[in-house]
Amino acid sequence: MPALLEPGTFLIASLGLEDPTFARTVVLILQHVPDELTLGVVLNRPLGDRVKLYPSEELDSITEGMEFDESVTRSELFYQGGPVEPGSLIFLHRVEHLQGDATPIVPGLFAGGDLDALRQFTADSEEEGPFVRFYLGYAQWEPGQLESEIALGAWILAPGDTDLVFSDDPEGIWQQALQALGGKYAPMSFIPEDPSLN
């Protein structure tokens, strides 16, 4: 059964999606109100070298006081969430008891909340593995726009998955999401980006 267009749903870019901004992306829907805006974040675009485009003091101030595994680099914590307002920050995390206004997205996954409480959690926690990701910018659709893109076959809907959001291979999330859907979608995940390599 196809997933519904609602918060927590993954939008997996189909091979027919022509907008290069979203080529081979997986977007997590954070807000969908029919007749209003739909908002989401791109999950599989780690900042990588582009991290240099942002003032390092700003990025440091966001993560200040947070304890991370030594192997975690800044480029693994920060992602290009989308083309809209690239200076804005959205964060997703797994910390259920975080006070404040954290919004449940799918079981075990929350958006926003109190950054200070998150810092405290990281200082006290023994948890292994990633539990927070920061997204600079977001994706946004006008009323009806996303529905028409879906009708044209640009996006494949799938149920959101917390483990996939925190995948230790973020650049592989698109392939992993298609393989998880199975059926006719799994073979799509093996088509190379450059068709001449096929």
Side-chain angles (χ1 to χ4, degrees):
M1 189 181 115
L4 300 172
L5 184 54
E6 61 187 8
T9 297
F10 283 162
L11 296 174
I12 306 170
S14 79
L15 293 171
L17 180 68
E18 291 176 5
D19 182 346
T21 307
F22 293 105
R24 293 183 181 239
T25 58
V26 176
V27 176
L28 175 67
I29 299 284
L30 299 178
Q31 174 189 319
H32 174 70
V33 182
D35 306 324
E36 289 184 33
L37 296 176
T38 299
L39 304 177
V41 289
V42 175
L43 297 175
N44 57 331
R45 291 270 167 86
L47 275 185
D49 289 342
R50 291 179 302 252
V51 79
K52 298 183 187 83
L53 300 175
Y54 294 86
S56 58
E57 315 81 67
E58 278 183 37
L59 300 186
D60 286 341
S61 71
I62 293 165
T63 58
E64 186 181 354
M66 292 188 187
E67 307 279 330
F68 296 106
D69 189 305
E70 285 167 23
S71 64
V72 174
T73 65
R74 182 184 282 154
S75 59
E76 292 172 83
L77 289 172
F78 288 94
Y79 291 73
Q80 259 185 321
V84 181
E85 292 191 37
S88 66
L89 177 79
I90 293 171
F91 62 99
L92 299 176
H93 59 86
R94 300 181 189 242
V95 187
E96 197 158 339
H97 63 274
L98 198 62
Q99 286 113 24
D101 46 359
T103 305
I105 303 295
V106 294
L109 181 66
F110 305 87
D114 184 338
L115 257 179
D116 287 328
L118 190 62
R119 288 185 181 99
Q120 188 58 48
F121 168 82
T122 64
D124 300 341
S125 170
E126 300 293 314
E127 258 185 62
E128 292 295 311
F131 57 86
V132 63
R133 295 252 159 104
F134 298 96
Y135 301 88
L136 297 159
Y138 53 91
Q140 174 180 298
W141 291 266
E142 299 297 323
Q145 181 186 359
L146 182 56
E147 288 84 344
S148 62
E149 289 180 15
I150 292 166
L152 290 169
W155 298 100
I156 301 157
L157 276 62
D161 177 336
T162 302
D163 289 338
L164 211 50
V165 171
F166 292 99
S167 168
D168 56 9
D169 175 20
E171 287 167 344
I173 289 176
W174 183 78
Q175 286 87 355
Q176 294 165 41
L178 285 171
Q179 288 166 11
L181 275 177
K184 65 181 181 181
Y185 300 110
M188 278 174 60
S189 70
F190 297 107
I191 296 172
E193 267 186 83
D194 180 349
S196 67
L197 300 175
N198 211 352

